[in-house]
């Protein structure tokens, strides 16, 4: 069985992507959670991930150290990773790649800390452009492929790639067009998303870097973490 190395569920948005994909598709895996800053000085992730980053999938002799590469690796054996329709698949791959390489303002100004609720000090032009693009992209996918997921009637990798955005929308109260907001609710209600969220609330680790960065951009309204 493959092992998926991930970091803290509270913070690690990249880890969430393959984790929720494998969980929703019923692809068996063992989870190896290595918290940020664990172990002696130096990058502990380097002991199992060539880039020193998570997620990283180990499957027999194969080591796959990037979320998009993991999705493609899984797709070799599990066609359900991408939509079966060629046009929907092309759209899903494009949207996933856009997420993988873009949305810098959203990622830096609305860091994922699942248990927090934050009121942003302001939504500047770059962040607004990212939020608008998310709304546009999601509405396009839902309309074009009929929903309830982005590229059709099953959860695929493109939904996994935007799953961390659903937690960000919840944390920062980001406004989206109605179909996109309803999609966020559907994502947050998925059993695996609930499991991730509940586990994140129970984590006792606090990473100063992420906590401080988040509070640079907004005011803390609530902290639902229990540990
Ligand atoms: N492009 C990579 C990005 C992975 C990444 O940046 N992961 C973060 C955690 S969410 C990380 O491992 N950071 C290492 C560190 O902060 O020491 C992917 O898609 O997997």
């Amino acid at each position: 069985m493959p092992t998926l190395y991930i970091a803290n569920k509270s913070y690690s948005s990249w880890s969430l992507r393959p984790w929720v994909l494998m969980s929703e598709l019923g692809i068996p895996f063992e989870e190896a959670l290595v918290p940020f800053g664990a172990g002696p000085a130096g990058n502990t992730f380097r002991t199992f991930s060539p880039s020193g980053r998570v997620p990283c999938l180990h499957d027999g002799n194969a080591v796959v150290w990037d979320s998009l590469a993991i999705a493609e690796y899984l797709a070799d054996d599990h066609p359900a990773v991408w939509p079966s329709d060629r046009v929907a698949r092309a759209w899903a791959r494009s949207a996933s790649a856009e997420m993988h390489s873009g949305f810098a303002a959203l990622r830096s100004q609305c860091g994922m800390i699942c248990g927090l609720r934050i009121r942003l000090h302001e939504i500047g032009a770059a962040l607004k452009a990212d939020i608008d693009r998310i709304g546009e992209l999601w509405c396009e996918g839902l309309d074009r492929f009929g929903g309830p997921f982005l590229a059709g009637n099953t959860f695929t990798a493109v939904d996994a790639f935007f799953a961390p955005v659903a937690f960000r929308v919840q944390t920062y109260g980001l406004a989206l067009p109605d179909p996109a907001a309803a999609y966020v609710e559907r994502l947050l209600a998925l059993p695996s998303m609930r499991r991730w969220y509940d586990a994140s609330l129970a984590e006792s680790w606090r990473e100063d870097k992420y906590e401080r960065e988040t509070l640079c951009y907004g005011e803390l309204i609530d902290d639902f973490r229990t540990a």
Side-chain angles (χ1 to χ4, degrees):
M1 187 185 306
T3 299
L4 181 67
Y5 287 88
I6 61 169
N8 313 42
K9 289 188 170 127
S10 187
Y11 307 116
S12 188
S13 58
W14 292 108
S15 298
L16 169 58
R17 293 169 168 101
W19 189 97
V20 73
L21 180 64
M22 296 173 88
S23 301
E24 280 301 312
L25 267 51
I27 301 173
F29 68 102
E30 259 170 37
E31 172 188 309
L33 194 160
V34 181
F36 291 107
N43 187 336
T44 316
F45 296 164
R46 285 277 295 177
T47 59
F48 55 81
S49 170
S51 63
R53 290 179 181 271
V54 288
C56 185
L57 186 77
H58 287 214
D59 186 24
N61 291 333
V63 175
V64 196
W65 63 89
D66 176 275
S67 55
L68 197 48
I70 293 171
E72 293 299 0
Y73 177 80
L74 295 171
D76 288 344
D77 284 333
H78 304 276
V81 165
W82 294 110
S84 54
D85 174 72
R86 191 163 185 240
V87 171
R89 191 162 64 247
W91 187 93
R93 281 198 163 114
S94 302
S96 302
E98 183 176 347
M99 180 73 243
H100 192 256
S101 61
F103 297 102
L106 181 72
R107 285 219 294 262
S108 62
Q109 294 174 41
C110 300
M112 191 178 96
I113 306 188
C114 296
L116 299 190
R117 299 296 179 269
I118 304 277
R119 185 179 300 116
L120 288 167
H121 296 314
E122 61 162 352
I123 298 188
L127 180 56
K128 182 175 182 321
D130 278 359
I131 297 168
D132 288 350
R133 175 62 187 145
I134 292 277
E136 176 186 61
L137 188 64
W138 287 2
C139 288
E140 184 200 336
L142 292 166
D143 184 49
R144 191 162 165 195
F145 305 110
F149 295 104
L150 285 182
N153 62 4
T154 58
F155 183 97
T156 63
V158 67
D159 302 291
F161 268 79
F162 285 104
V165 179
F167 284 132
R168 289 175 156 114
V169 169
Q170 175 171 258
T171 288
Y172 299 91
L174 305 178
L176 290 170
D178 287 349
Y183 169 68
V184 168
E185 294 308 316
R186 285 198 292 281
L187 278 189
L188 293 175
L190 291 174
S192 60
M193 289 287 277
R194 298 293 321 163
R195 282 208 309 281
W196 179 280
Y197 182 67
D198 290 346
S200 82
L201 298 186
E203 288 177 351
S204 57
W205 308 292
R206 297 289 180 269
E207 273 298 302
D208 219 37
K209 174 172 165 258
Y210 295 117
E211 302 280 326
R212 269 191 288 109
E213 255 171 34
T214 299
L215 294 175
C216 279
Y217 293 105
E219 173 196 346
L220 182 66
I221 302 172
D222 245 318
D223 184 346
F224 293 116
R225 294 175 291 188
T226 51

